[in-house]
Amino acid sequence: MVVSGQCLLCVFTPQKETPLANAVFWAARKGNLALLQLLLNSGRVDADCRDSYGTTALMVASYSGHYECVKELIMQGADINYQRETGSTALFFASQQGHCDVVKLLFEFGASTEFHTKDGGTALTVASQYGHSKVVDTLLKNGANVHDQLNDGATSLFLAAQEEDGTAPLWMAAQMGHSEAVKVLLLRGADRDADRQDGSTALFKAALKGHNSVIEELLKFSPSLGLLKNGSTALHAAVVGGNLRSILLLLGANADPTLANKNNELPADLTKSDRILKLLHPKISNGNS
């Protein structure tokens, strides 16, 4: 599943009564600069022509990563911050696809990070979701809010494979396993312990999914290893996830295996794996107590 408006080229439905506009969209999608210039210079088609969803040629060129076409459309007067019906902008699509050069170009001509999709998504949240760390860094340098949140109850149209709500960029990057994006966000001041409405943090989710490179980055910033708002700990999550390396990383950071969750369960109560139990209870396993 994807962000609302993500599959831009799939849903583009040009108006049948404007064949020249259709040609502009085709040129923007294919990166045919010569044709695009010819059409725009004819004076018979507007640089801001759009389809029935409010998609503009600038959005299509940005999505496709065609730098020169993006620049030409801007120079011809295309509205950089125009929003299609989903709320997405050219910056959103360039960020989602990881086209950092296009993102930088859009900023040069006044692109704003303030616009949200109907789901509450922003250029920063979508770049974080897809692990585009260079884009994330560029967005943050240009005023994007590191604490951007999706709307409550945002659906799986935004996050791959599951429904999430109230999700911050750091949490999103962590649960997708994008360690470089996590690193950039942390260095730019993201709250290491920011949680969702269900109380899970970035570390909890990374531990559950076994994203060890993410866990390593998070541990550099001393996140909470204690009981979270969801009534559990990151160590509990790692044990449920069953990744030995994740458990070792957390134990090495002094996660407490004797700390019970809200159901009065120790991490060891959540597994039948002898290998994991030996990690959690080495003294018992060695017969020393």
Side-chain angles (χ1 to χ4, degrees), residues 34 42 61 131 144 165 213:
S42 72
D165 52 24
S213 59

Side-chain angles (χ1 to χ4, degrees), residues 1 129 155-162 164 167 171-172 175:
M1 302 302 288
Q129 178 192 355
T155 69
S156 55
L157 285 173
F158 198 90
L159 284 180
Q162 62 185 341
E164 307 297 347
T167 309
W171 192 98
M172 187 180 299
Q175 69 96 26

Side-chain angles (χ1 to χ4, degrees), residues 202-234:
L203 182 62
F204 182 92
K205 197 64 175 186
L208 183 63
K209 291 198 168 188
H211 295 320
N212 294 325
S213 59
V214 172
I215 293 173
E216 289 173 339
E217 291 299 334
L218 287 164
L219 288 176
K220 294 175 184 177
F221 288 78
S222 302
S224 173
L225 296 171
L227 208 60
L228 303 173
K229 291 179 182 177
N230 63 1
S232 191
T233 71

Side-chain angles (χ1 to χ4, degrees), residues 71-253:
K71 187 173 182 179
E72 181 66 23
L73 285 160
I74 293 172
M75 299 306 293
Q76 293 274 1
D79 183 350
I80 291 180
N81 292 315
Y82 183 81
Q83 292 178 276
R84 74 193 300 258
E85 67 173 26
T86 59
S88 307
T89 63
L91 181 64
F92 180 94
F93 287 118
S95 299
Q96 182 257 307
Q97 293 297 99
H99 300 310
C100 197
D101 56 341
V102 173
V103 169
K104 290 178 180 178
L105 178 64
L106 291 169
F107 277 129
E108 287 178 19
F109 287 91
S112 173
T113 61
E114 297 299 315
F115 294 100
H116 291 68
T117 66
K118 289 182 178 179
D119 294 322
T122 64
L124 180 59
T125 56
V126 77
S128 299
Q129 178 192 355
Y130 286 95
H132 301 310
S133 57
K134 290 183 179 179
V135 173
V136 169
D137 191 40
T138 299
L139 290 167
L140 291 170
K141 286 179 179 177
N142 285 274
N145 184 355
V146 74
H147 303 300
D148 277 348
Q149 299 270 329
L150 299 187
N151 294 339
D152 292 347
T155 69
S156 55
L157 285 173
F158 198 90
L159 284 180
Q162 62 185 341
E163 295 185 0
E164 307 297 347
D165 52 24
T167 309
L170 179 65
W171 192 98
M172 187 180 299
Q175 69 96 26
M176 296 294 286
H178 300 312
S179 59
E180 284 302 313
V182 166
K183 180 179 180 179
V184 170
L185 288 162
L186 288 168
L187 289 172
R188 290 283 171 179
D191 181 358
R192 63 190 182 278
D193 290 321
D195 53 26
R196 303 179 51 215
Q197 288 191 343
D198 69 356
S200 65
T201 62
L203 182 62
F204 182 92
K205 197 64 175 186
L208 183 63
K209 291 198 168 188
H211 295 320
N212 294 325
S213 59
V214 172
I215 293 173
E216 289 173 339
E217 291 299 334
L218 287 164
L219 288 176
K220 294 175 184 177
F221 288 78
S222 302
S224 173
L225 296 171
L227 208 60
L228 303 173
K229 291 179 182 177
N230 63 1
S232 191
T233 71
L235 185 57
H236 282 86
V239 170
V240 171
N243 189 297
L244 292 175
R245 175 64 178 162
S246 299
I247 296 169
L248 282 169
L249 285 170
L250 292 171
L251 290 173

